[in-house]
């Protein structure tokens, strides 16, 4: 089950980043990033409750902090996509996003 969920998460993340990058070329980077996170803020709690998760103040605090950090990262990624080639920005962003969790742990 873990492999299936990880595969789906990778597919949705990659698709979302690609489509967000395209949208940021034609619109505001902030607008695309905002709608990206608004959609996540609506969908994730519904899925968490539907799949039997619980919502506590502590989890909301950690989730909010992660959401803010993610929003900054997404806006930076889309700004890079809007100004440069996706084939240049994507590998740099991938290394950066893999480095932070390793350094944190």
């Amino acid at each position: 089950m873990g492999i299936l969920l990880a595969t789906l998460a990778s597919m949705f993340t990659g698709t979302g980043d690609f489509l967000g990058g395209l949208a940021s070329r034609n619109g505001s980077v902030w607008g695309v990033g905002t709608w990206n996170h608004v959609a996540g803020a609506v969908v994730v709690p519904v899925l968490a409750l539907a799949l039997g998760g619980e919502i506590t103040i502590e989890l909301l605090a950690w989730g909010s902090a992660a959401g803010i950090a993610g929003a900054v990262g997404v806006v930076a990624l889309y700004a890079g996509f809007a100004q440069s080639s996706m084939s240049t920005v994507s590998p740099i962003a991938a290394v950066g996003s893999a480095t932070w969790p390793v350094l944190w742990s």
Side-chain angles (χ1 to χ4, degrees):
M1 182 62 138
I3 292 173
L4 173 64
L5 292 175
T7 301
L8 289 172
S10 296
M11 288 172 40
F12 286 127
T13 300
T15 301
D17 286 349
F18 178 78
L19 294 175
L22 288 179
S24 67
R25 289 181 182 230
N26 298 324
S28 163
V29 171
W30 288 102
V32 173
T34 298
W35 281 110
N36 176 316
H37 277 70
V38 166
V42 171
V43 172
V44 170
V46 171
L47 283 176
L49 292 174
L51 296 173
E54 63 180 276
I55 297 178
T56 65
I57 297 298
E58 181 183 6
L59 294 177
L60 285 173
W62 278 108
S64 297
I68 291 167
V72 171
V74 165
V75 168
L77 178 68
Y78 292 166
F81 285 162
Q83 295 177 10
S84 185
S85 165
M86 286 189 190
S87 61
T88 302
V89 175
S90 293
I92 295 169
V95 169
S97 65
T99 302
W100 283 110
V102 171
L103 293 176
W104 181 266
S105 66

